[in-house]
Amino acid sequence: MTRAEDFQELQPLLFAIAYRLLGSVTEAEDAVQETWIQYEAYRGEPGSAKALLSTMVTRISINVLRSARVRREAYVGPWFPEPLVTDPYADPERAAELADSVSMAALLLLERLTPLERAVFVLREVFGFGFAEIAGAVGRSEAACRQLAVRSRQHMDAGRPRFAAGRRERDELAGRFFDAFRDGDLDGLRGLLAADVQMVSDGGGKAPNLPKPIVGPDRVARVLATVAGPMLRAGVRFDFREVNGEPGAVFYDRDRRTLNALALDILDGQIQAIRLVSNPDKLRHLGPVADAWQVSRDVKRAR
């Protein structure tokens, strides 16, 4: 195959690696594009296109991640990954595992790792690369990569829940949640929420935002039931979608411009967290973006 054909075949994998490292669709796409530029200019004859391209995209992503971490320290309010509604990398035998690795919860756990730990974990635990390949990709010895793998796995395992719901159970519960939300059903919403449920939003200072997390089933249910009617009367609509491999929805204004994306974290038969991404900079890859401030004013008038 030609280099262009090699790259095209492996592009979904390269994006999948970059997104899990960066938590940003835009930055992952840029990293993949930079990988193609480097691959096209590469003068040698690669023994394995997959190994070389994976190394290139990993090194580019690590460099981007190091600078991104500085920016995120100055970020206004909670930081969430850019919502991913379609993962181009498909492996039917590992679909559930791949979806879990791209969930909001998993990506937020990955944020706690150093860039090298994150890269080693993603390459080893998510994509099954050998330690020789990982060592070449991150520029460390195999022994060092094994230590990084153990350390990163311990961090991730400590933060992961023990009782994740199955896909069918999650989808059924999410359907009940969105039905109750659409109807403004306070009791119906409350009955689906865990005792320590949190609703958190990421507006980045660029969209109307919750001033702080809302905690507890009564408070969360009351906020959702109160806002549902005015939102619908103001022309806001939503589509049930998988967001980062989790049940969720994308909300639109009356002109079908993206308003925000919502992901539900469902564990042990209850909704543990509701994460809402409203920062317009994180929604542009989904299509035209709504004026969230204007929609907020419309919703207030519709109350």
Side-chain angles (χ1 to χ4, degrees), residues 16 39 41 44 66 105 119 128 130 134 137 188 201 223 243 255 274 280 298 303:
Y39 187 54
R66 284 172 173 152
I134 296 171
S201 62
V223 169
V243 177
D255 296 317
I274 301 170
D298 292 343
R303 287 179 176 173

Side-chain angles (χ1 to χ4, degrees), residues 1-10 13-14 35 39 42 45-57 129 133:
M1 289 195 295
T2 66
R3 287 197 177 184
E5 289 170 337
D6 282 337
F7 179 80
Q8 185 173 11
E9 180 179 327
L10 292 166
L13 171 63
L14 302 179
T35 299
Y39 187 54
Y42 184 74
E45 189 61 38
S48 165
K50 178 182 176 182
L52 179 58
L53 286 166
S54 299
T55 294
M56 287 176 171
V57 79
F129 281 69
E133 295 173 294

Side-chain angles (χ1 to χ4, degrees), residues 264-285:
L264 299 176
D265 190 352
I266 298 174
L267 302 169
D268 199 21
Q270 293 181 308
I271 296 171
Q272 305 286 332
I274 301 170
R275 298 185 179 93
L276 192 68
V277 179
S278 303
N279 184 340
D281 293 343
K282 296 185 176 185
L283 302 172
R284 300 193 192 285
H285 62 284

Side-chain angles (χ1 to χ4, degrees), residues 76-134:
V76 177
W79 179 93
F80 290 157
E82 287 186 10
L84 183 71
V85 297
T86 303
D87 188 348
Y89 183 70
D91 183 344
E93 294 184 359
R94 300 181 59 241
E97 186 179 352
L98 289 168
D100 178 67
S101 72
V102 83
S103 70
M104 290 276 186
L107 291 174
L108 289 172
L109 283 176
L110 283 170
E111 283 291 305
R112 302 178 186 179
L113 306 182
T114 67
L116 282 179
E117 288 174 339
R118 187 166 180 163
V120 170
F121 181 87
V122 167
L123 292 175
R124 179 65 179 172
E125 300 297 326
V126 180
F127 296 103
F129 281 69
F131 282 110
E133 295 173 294
I134 296 171

Side-chain angles (χ1 to χ4, degrees), residues 161-183:
R162 295 184 179 181
F163 305 108
R167 181 171 296 272
R168 181 178 297 180
E169 180 188 359
R170 291 188 317 171
D171 290 347
E172 188 273 335
L173 194 150
R176 289 162 53 201
F177 171 83
F178 286 112
D179 286 344
F181 172 74
R182 187 184 288 108
D183 296 339

Side-chain angles (χ1 to χ4, degrees), residues 5 20 24 29 60 65 70 85 172 199 207 236 239 249 282:
E5 289 170 337
R20 285 162 175 80
S24 165
E29 290 174 342
I60 291 166
L65 183 59
V70 175
V85 297
E172 188 273 335
M199 184 164 69
V236 175
D239 290 342
K282 296 185 176 185

